[in-house]
Amino acid sequence: MILGIGTDLCNIERIERVLDRYGDRFRNRVFTETEQRKAERRRDVAGTYAKRWAAKEACSKALGTGLRMGIAWKDMAVTNLRSGQPVMHVTGWAAERLAEMTPEGHVATIHVTLTDDHPWAQAFVVIEALPEDDAARPTTRRLA
């Protein structure tokens, strides 16, 4: 079952201006060390940060709160699998909110996708709950 959906569109040039103006102050307030290392290794530094910014916004919307009610920027973080697939991690109040909204006997999964086409970066987040029995079974899910 779908617990939440969120999307966000972010202007890469706006993030670039914020990085130029506030630098580490902005990076350290919004992004985890892992996210910063990933972005700083990329050719499109601002684009990488913009996609992660959008993912955090989208995740907060999918959690049903937006960036209020105690969620901190660093409570949501994007990493990548070896395949490049982005993965959303939540800690702190975001993790508490996710636990609250997950029905008993279910396991929540956060799906995230990122894209960019200069000057835009976009993220889409879907939070899904699967029965614990189904979540533990490594099967391919088929459409009915």
Side-chain angles (χ1 to χ4, degrees):
M1 90 181 64
I2 303 299
L3 299 179
I5 298 172
T7 187
D8 192 66
L9 184 66
C10 179
N11 186 287
I12 295 169
E13 293 169 355
R14 175 177 162 246
I15 296 298
E16 190 169 38
R17 287 190 301 272
V18 171
L19 287 166
D20 289 344
R21 182 169 182 185
Y22 297 103
D24 286 342
R25 185 170 149 208
F26 171 68
R27 284 181 195 89
N28 294 332
R29 179 172 180 235
V30 176
F31 302 100
T32 65
E33 289 180 22
T34 301
E35 290 173 310
Q36 290 179 48
R37 280 193 305 273
K38 171 81 170 180
E40 297 300 326
R41 285 193 315 257
R42 304 295 297 261
R43 188 172 3 130
D44 184 10
V45 172
T48 302
Y49 279 123
K51 285 186 279 189
R52 278 149 180 75
W53 171 280
K56 291 168 186 268
E57 287 274 6
C59 184
S60 71
K61 293 171 186 176
L63 288 168
T65 64
L67 283 161
R68 58 179 177 82
M69 295 176 59
I71 290 182
W73 286 105
K74 288 184 176 182
D75 285 349
M76 301 163 287
V78 178
T79 62
N80 294 85
L81 300 178
R82 286 185 180 186
S83 65
Q85 176 185 348
V87 179
M88 178 65 71
H89 305 274
V90 292
T91 58
W93 199 90
E96 291 174 23
R97 173 67 181 143
L98 181 62
E100 269 177 24
M101 63 192 290
T102 304
E104 190 173 323
H106 288 72
V107 175
T109 300
I110 302 174
H111 304 279
V112 60
T113 186
L114 309 173
T115 190
D116 64 292
D117 187 6
H118 196 84
W120 301 106
Q122 184 176 30
F124 191 76
V125 170
V126 175
I127 301 175
E128 175 184 32
L130 293 172
E132 286 177 347
D133 294 345
D134 289 349
R137 191 177 319 131
T139 60
T140 302
R141 296 177 45 201
R142 289 181 263 159
L143 298 176

